[in-house]
Amino acid sequence: MVQHSILETLSEPLRKEVLSSLQPLHFEHGRILFRAGDPCQGLPLVLNGTVKVQMTGLSGHSIVLYRMGADDICTLSIGCLMTGDGFRAEAVVEEDAEVFMVPRGLFDRLMDQSADFRLGVMESYGRRLNDLMLLVEEVAFRRMDERLAHWLETRAVEGSIRITHQELAVELGTAREVVSRLLKELERQGKLRLSRGCISFVQ
């Protein structure tokens, strides 16, 4: 049976009750789990696959806030469930995913009845908040050419990356034109080669 580690924090009777009430939901690549402005219906627990959470500003530019893989919890949903506010970002399935959706009423009951569940949720929230603070620091205080170079360096061992300039712009929270200009300069310097939808690293 596919399970999620946060459910392992529950007592045996409570875990059995929860698992009997939840069914894995399958979402295909490209599916929108929620959009900015939507009310939060529950807490998504990712069992497998990948879900990308991104925000779009008034300028129309988007930035990836974080990704959820197997065994992850949606931090944005935790905040929305606790405050009652709607989402301020959207979640898009990158790789076909299975998800447990814990309804709001059940989430509230588990938070109230299980100290270990509550601690696990808050620890996950704290870790993701720290990651988001690092992202804010990157966006606010590092030049775009430095951020692009760092992003590429962390992936250079792969030899090449299948990604469009627009997708890379979303990763970095900037305009496609900016990314294209910086990539062309790196290509001119002989550090990489560009082809349609692909960046190859020169060793």
Side-chain angles (χ1 to χ4, degrees):
M1 176 184 293
V2 178
Q3 293 196 26
H4 193 285
S5 61
I6 192 64
L7 300 181
E8 296 300 314
T9 64
L10 301 172
S11 65
E12 185 67 20
L14 191 54
R15 183 167 65 253
K16 286 183 177 180
E17 178 188 344
V18 170
L19 288 173
S20 68
S21 67
L22 298 177
Q23 291 294 326
L25 303 175
H26 181 75
F27 298 101
E28 295 182 350
H29 166 76
R31 175 73 179 273
I32 305 294
L33 293 190
F34 55 76
R35 290 182 169 85
D38 287 351
C40 185
Q41 303 295 332
L43 178 67
L45 304 177
V46 179
L47 305 175
N48 54 58
T50 309
V51 178
K52 174 176 63 175
V53 178
Q54 61 188 29
M55 175 180 283
T56 302
L58 295 176
S59 65
H61 299 155
S62 299
I63 185 170
V64 175
L65 300 178
Y66 59 89
R67 285 178 168 81
M68 296 182 289
D71 227 28
D72 281 339
I73 302 174
C74 182
T75 306
L76 197 61
S77 296
I78 296 173
C80 292
L81 286 168
M82 292 193 295
T83 64
D85 295 334
F87 291 109
R88 299 192 62 183
E90 67 175 6
V92 185
V93 177
E94 280 194 315
E95 299 176 2
D96 290 5
E98 281 190 307
V99 178
F100 274 151
M101 183 64 70
V102 180
R104 175 186 292 272
L106 178 57
F107 171 79
D108 289 341
R109 186 157 72 88
L110 295 178
M111 290 288 281
D112 181 59
Q113 294 183 1
S114 174
D116 288 340
F117 178 86
R118 185 166 61 248
L119 178 62
V121 167
M122 297 313 297
E123 284 180 342
S124 172
Y125 189 85
R127 287 192 299 271
R128 187 72 76 185
L129 182 60
N130 185 59
D131 291 341
L132 289 173
M133 292 300 292
L134 292 174
L135 176 62
V136 169
E137 182 180 357
E138 284 273 312
V139 172
F141 302 118
R142 293 188 71 180
R143 299 198 320 263
M144 185 53 64
D145 58 337
E146 294 176 336
R147 293 180 56 218
L148 174 61
H150 179 261
W151 194 94
L152 292 171
E153 284 169 7
T154 60
R155 293 158 178 82
V157 293
E158 301 173 26
S160 64
I161 307 173
R162 301 293 305 181
I163 190 169
T164 67
H165 292 192
Q166 179 58 43
E167 290 168 340
L168 184 48
V170 172
E171 292 291 326
L172 298 173
T174 189
R176 179 187 57 78
E177 295 79 7
V178 173
V179 167
S180 294
R181 175 173 54 80
L182 293 173
L183 287 174
K184 288 183 185 303
E185 175 60 22
L186 291 172
E187 184 178 42
R188 187 190 68 78
Q189 296 172 11
K191 296 180 178 179
L192 48 80
R193 289 191 301 272
L194 301 176
S195 57
R196 188 173 182 84
C198 184
I199 300 172
S200 300
F201 300 100
V202 176
Q203 302 299 327

